[in-house]
Amino acid sequence: MDGHALSELEGVVLGVVWKFGPCTPHAIRSHFFASRSARFSGSAGAIYPLVARLERAALLRSRSDRLRRQRRRLYEITPAGRRRLVTWISPPFRDQDVGALHDPIRTRVYFLAALPAPERRRFLGDAEAGLRRTLDLMKQDLAGYRHAGSHLSVLAMRGAIGLARAQLRWLAAIHDDVVRAGARDRG
Amino acid sequence: MDGHALSELEGVVLGVVWKFGPCTPHAIRSHFFASRSARFSGSAGAIYPLVARLERAALLRSRSDRLRRQRRRLYEITPAGRRRLVTWISPPFRDQDVGALHDPIRTRVYFLAALPAPERRRFLGDAEAGLRRTLDLMKQDLAGYRHAGSHLSVLAMRGAIGLARAQLRWLAAIHDDVVRAGARDRG
DNA sequence: TAAGGCATGTAAGACGTTACATGATTAC
DNA sequence: GTAATCATGTAACGTCTTACATGCCTTA
């Protein structure tokens, strides 16, 4: 992280501190708790060592603070951190960044011939139900961001919603094929 | 992995061995090398210990083999492994499986106000170019799967292509907003 | 007064990756 | 003959998760 590239989590944390700082590590964690994406949990064991690392690299700086009698530490981004954030965001993109997205449902579809036809039907039904729930939650998030005037969060959320809709369209489109698929030949 | 749930990589490997087995660990690795998804690299340091683990858990069994004078080990799935695969594929899905997909481009969009407007334009242009390249490659993969008669691979690939198209539509839709966005207020 | 949110951290472990080391076989 | 591919593995490391430990503050 000193000479090397930032990890995905390091980049996001740097971005969060830039966008919402000065803030406590706990506040940073809250963003991950609130996120629909399960990529990172925002666990203490990840965040506290990470901000310490970023501070040692002079990308963040911190000061002690006190809220009532509650001790806490406020982090903010440094000019070097700001430059590093710009580099992290900017092209060129790595192949993995613009490559195929990872989708656990799709991964399982590759092996769906391992299930008997009724189970395959249940698979598709449950996946659709789960995606619809997620979609509803994301629509609520979207309304919240709109209300808060978080312009870029609104745009990003539209992307996430577009992906969920694409997943749902795909499930509907392949339904008949899947239920009939690969009964004897492993698909 | 004995009493616990299978990791994503363990599930996929079990599925690959079921679908293409008996096969060598090297052949398993090839599937990851050929995959458009960057979730797993198929590194030797992941695969060889993993198949050994699955064999200890009696989900795979193996036998020594020889191709010319090349020693190798062929793995195939056991009945217990087959049952475990079915469980791994089947609902109920975890929240993370039907939650928002992780998309590195979208992650960066949250912080796009950190870039000046011309850089934001370049960001969108490069992302679009990268996604189009991926899309083209995936279309070739699709044709290959069709030709090979890999029915479920065709269906899965249609899902991946649908997602890439959704990403491209999203980028086009937010273009004007992004370029104007959050010049002073961090978006 | 109990529950839950705010706040900071550490320890152990799971799970990957990168890099290395070795050797046989095939295609140019 | 030499480069690429097939083939098997190990060692060191990075990074994140789970679980634990502690304490303050607010609300019901």
Side-chain angles (χ1 to χ4, degrees):
Chain A
M1 196 249 341
D2 248 38
H4 335 54
L6 294 174
S7 76
E8 191 77 2
L9 183 55
E10 286 168 340
V12 174
V13 167
L14 204 51
V16 167
V17 175
W18 166 72
K19 199 163 173 174
F20 303 103
C23 60
T24 65
H26 181 86
I28 297 169
R29 297 182 64 200
S30 307
H31 288 281
F32 293 97
F33 300 155
S35 166
R36 276 323 137 197
S37 166
R39 175 71 198 283
F40 300 112
S41 72
S43 57
I47 301 301
Y48 285 94
L50 189 149
V51 291
R53 230 153 55 220
L54 292 179
E55 182 164 31
R56 275 200 301 279
L59 306 179
L60 295 181
R61 80 168 87 88
S62 73
R63 61 177 189 277
S64 277
D65 184 56
R66 207 158 273 279
L67 184 68
R68 310 287 187 266
R69 220 171 311 161
Q70 179 83 313
R71 76 179 174 106
R72 52 186 210 163
R73 188 161 280 276
L74 291 173
Y75 285 84
E76 61 188 328
I77 197 164
T78 64
R82 175 63 203 268
R83 287 192 295 274
R84 197 61 176 279
L85 174 64
V86 166
T87 305
W88 179 74
I89 296 170
S90 297
F93 300 113
R94 296 160 307 171
D95 285 352
Q96 27 179 330
D97 292 334
V98 289
L101 297 180
H102 173 245
D103 173 0
I105 300 297
R106 189 177 77 240
T107 301
R108 283 157 178 77
V109 164
Y110 279 102
F111 311 116
L112 217 48
L115 306 187
E119 300 303 316
R120 298 206 281 266
R121 220 172 267 120
R122 198 162 73 83
F123 176 96
L124 293 170
D126 285 18
E128 192 192 316
L131 286 172
R132 280 197 196 288
R133 267 194 303 280
T134 299
L135 189 54
D136 286 345
L137 292 171
M138 291 195 297
K139 282 179 187 167
Q140 290 172 30
D141 293 348
L142 180 66
Y145 288 138
R146 264 197 231 285
H147 187 258
S150 307
H151 192 67
L152 284 174
S153 297
V154 166
L155 297 186
M157 193 50 71
R158 281 169 61 187
I161 288 174
L163 290 179
R165 290 203 166 117
Q167 287 178 289
L168 282 166
R169 279 195 304 272
W170 169 67
L171 284 181
I174 69 174
H175 186 281
D176 289 355
D177 292 298
V178 159
V179 171
R180 282 193 302 262
R184 36 183 165 234
D185 63 303
R186 304 190 176 184
Chain B
M1 197 253 337
D2 248 36
H4 335 52
L6 294 173
S7 75
E8 190 78 3
L9 183 55
E10 285 169 342
V12 173
V13 167
L14 203 52
V16 166
V17 175
W18 166 72
K19 201 164 174 174
F20 303 103
C23 60
T24 65
H26 181 86
I28 298 170
R29 297 183 64 200
S30 307
H31 288 280
F32 293 96
F33 300 156
S35 165
R36 271 330 134 196
S37 166
R39 176 69 198 284
F40 300 113
S41 72
S43 56
I47 300 302
Y48 285 93
L50 189 149
V51 292
R53 236 161 41 226
L54 292 179
E55 181 164 33
R56 276 200 302 279
L59 306 179
L60 294 182
R61 82 167 88 85
S62 73
R63 60 178 190 277
S64 276
D65 184 57
R66 208 159 271 280
L67 183 68
R68 311 285 188 270
R69 219 173 314 162
Q70 178 83 312
R71 76 180 174 104
R72 52 185 209 164
R73 186 160 282 275
L74 291 172
Y75 285 84
E76 60 188 328
I77 198 164
T78 65
R82 175 63 202 269
R83 287 193 296 274
R84 198 60 176 280
L85 174 64
V86 166
T87 305
W88 178 74
I89 295 170
S90 297
F93 300 111
R94 297 160 306 171
D95 285 352
Q96 25 178 331
D97 292 335
V98 289
L101 298 179
H102 174 243
D103 173 0
I105 301 297
R106 189 176 76 241
T107 301
R108 283 158 177 76
V109 165
Y110 279 102
F111 311 117
L112 217 47
L115 305 188
E119 301 302 316
R120 297 206 282 266
R121 217 172 270 122
R122 197 162 73 83
F123 176 96
L124 293 171
D126 285 18
E128 192 193 315
L131 286 172
R132 280 196 196 289
R133 267 194 303 278
T134 298
L135 189 55
D136 287 344
L137 292 170
M138 291 195 297
K139 282 178 186 167
Q140 290 173 29
D141 293 348
L142 180 67
Y145 288 137
R146 264 198 230 285
H147 188 257
S150 308
H151 192 66
L152 284 173
S153 297
V154 167
L155 298 185
M157 194 48 72
R158 281 168 60 188
I161 288 174
L163 291 179
R165 290 205 166 114
Q167 287 178 290
L168 281 166
R169 279 195 303 272
W170 169 67
L171 284 181
I174 68 174
H175 185 281
D176 289 355
D177 292 298
V178 159
V179 172
R180 281 194 302 263
R184 36 183 165 233
D185 63 305
R186 303 191 177 183

